[in-house]
Amino acid sequence: MTNRSVIFFDIDGTLLNHDKELPNSTKDAVFKLKELGHEVAIATGRAPFMFEQLRKELEIDTYISYNGQYVVLNGSELYTNPLNIHSLEKLTAEALENDHPVVFMDHEDMRANVQEHEYITESIGTLKIDMFPSIDPHYYKGRDLYQTLLFCTEGEERQYAQQYDAFDFIRWHPVAVDVLPKGGSKAKGIQKVVEKLGFSEDSIFAFGDGLNDREMLQTVKNSVAMGNAEEEIKEVAKYITKSVDEDGILHGLKMVGLL
């Protein structure tokens, strides 16, 4: 076909339902897109090692991980945007004093700075992945980190946001916050991919549901919010499809004319 498009899918609440299951209709739709000649990619806040099995199941090797900080195109690293380590070291020390543990994350692994903590167990457990961070309080030294998890209750992250202007703080769980490089987003990761692939803005589509999808859905011309999305996310999207549990991906792809 001549009218090829590239479609970016968020994972949690978009490709996967709230039980972290991939609906059959979604899997079938992804493979149909590829049969039609479209490019299919993932855009997620997760680390690459947190969705490796999903990539294999869907045969997807282009992805934006860590909300845009680590981007891979056709299996090869395309773009990285690591955290400022000096600022991270200061934040970690302050967080430790406040009994707010952190988990350091690069493209291969994640390590906690404390032995165990109920907030880490509670929030990581909701991801339903087959791994848990081991302890290494100095994991940030001598390597690039693309995201850090800060564990604190809602509102407590404000004290850090006011002090550390090198970072953005995005909450994804009642006791967990993503710490990202300032201004980093899925939208910037998408820009790197489409520049390399040469797609026009009319041929770019994105599906998402969470707060970390805001910039992506605001920036991509053909943006689709899931029916289960936050209301403020629905407001910035061009289209709204059904919930992930109501074959929302399939419905949305038909709605925008891709299937």
Side-chain angles (χ1 to χ4, degrees):
M1 65 181 292
T2 54
N3 297 321
R4 294 178 65 241
S5 295
V6 57
I7 306 97
F8 296 88
F9 293 105
D10 169 53
I11 292 181
D12 299 287
T14 303
L15 285 177
L16 299 183
N17 63 23
H18 301 295
D19 293 321
K20 306 305 178 186
E21 298 169 336
L22 177 68
N24 289 331
S25 64
T26 297
K27 183 175 181 177
D28 292 343
V30 167
F31 278 98
K32 184 62 176 178
L33 286 173
K34 293 195 287 185
E35 287 174 15
L36 292 171
H38 297 300
E39 186 82 25
V40 180
I42 286 173
T44 180
R46 289 190 180 213
F49 51 82
M50 289 183 174
F51 60 101
E52 185 175 1
Q53 187 59 43
L54 180 63
R55 297 200 308 272
K56 290 179 178 178
E57 183 174 358
L58 294 177
E59 298 177 13
I60 294 175
D61 55 11
T62 294
Y63 57 88
I64 289 138
S65 60
Y66 286 132
N67 290 312
Q69 316 321 309
Y70 189 80
V71 179
V72 168
L73 175 63
N74 296 325
S76 299
E77 185 181 289
L78 175 66
Y79 169 76
T80 64
N81 183 32
L83 292 161
N84 181 297
I85 296 301
H86 176 69
S87 296
L88 180 61
E89 186 172 19
K90 292 176 62 179
L91 182 149
T92 301
E94 181 176 346
L96 196 59
E97 293 178 358
N98 295 330
D99 190 29
H100 293 157
V102 302
V103 168
F104 306 112
M105 309 177 80
D106 62 9
H107 63 294
E108 295 178 326
D109 204 354
M110 58 179 174
R111 303 290 178 87
N113 70 332
V114 297
Q115 188 66 43
E116 58 183 35
H117 196 284
E118 61 179 318
Y119 289 176
I120 298 179
T121 303
E122 178 184 344
S123 56
I124 297 292
T126 65
L127 298 175
K128 297 188 177 180
I129 55 177
D130 295 329
M131 64 184 306
F132 194 78
S134 55
I135 183 170
D136 184 351
H138 303 296
Y139 194 66
Y140 63 88
K141 294 183 178 180
R143 57 170 43 87
D144 285 338
L145 300 179
Y146 304 106
Q147 184 169 281
T148 289
L149 303 180
L150 172 67
F151 298 88
C152 59
T153 57
E154 293 191 47
E156 289 184 314
E157 71 273 19
R158 293 182 194 136
Q159 62 182 299
Y160 302 103
Q162 292 170 355
Q163 296 182 64
Y164 298 96
D165 56 10
F167 303 135
D168 282 331
F169 298 82
I170 301 176
R171 182 165 293 280
W172 61 273
H173 185 276
V175 297
V177 174
D178 290 336
V179 181
L180 300 167
K182 188 73 173 181
S185 70
K186 293 182 182 182
K188 289 191 175 180
I190 287 174
Q191 181 182 12
K192 298 297 181 181
V193 171
V194 297
E195 284 176 355
K196 193 71 173 179
L197 294 178
F199 284 93
S200 68
E201 66 173 19
D202 288 332
S203 300
I204 307 167
F205 294 78
F207 286 69
D209 73 301
L211 296 177
N212 63 337
D213 294 316
R214 181 195 301 276
E215 291 85 353
M216 176 176 76
L217 298 184
Q218 284 177 324
T219 303
V220 172
K221 185 173 182 180
N222 300 301
S223 59
V224 184
M226 303 300 291
N228 48 275
E230 305 273 356
E231 286 304 316
E232 57 192 283
I233 298 305
K234 291 179 180 178
E235 290 174 3
V236 302
K238 183 176 181 180
Y239 304 98
I240 301 173
T241 184
K242 295 181 180 180
S243 166
V244 61
D245 289 313
E246 300 175 313
D247 300 327
I249 292 297
L250 177 60
H251 178 80
L253 290 169
K254 288 180 177 180
M255 182 171 56
V256 301
L258 288 172
L259 291 181

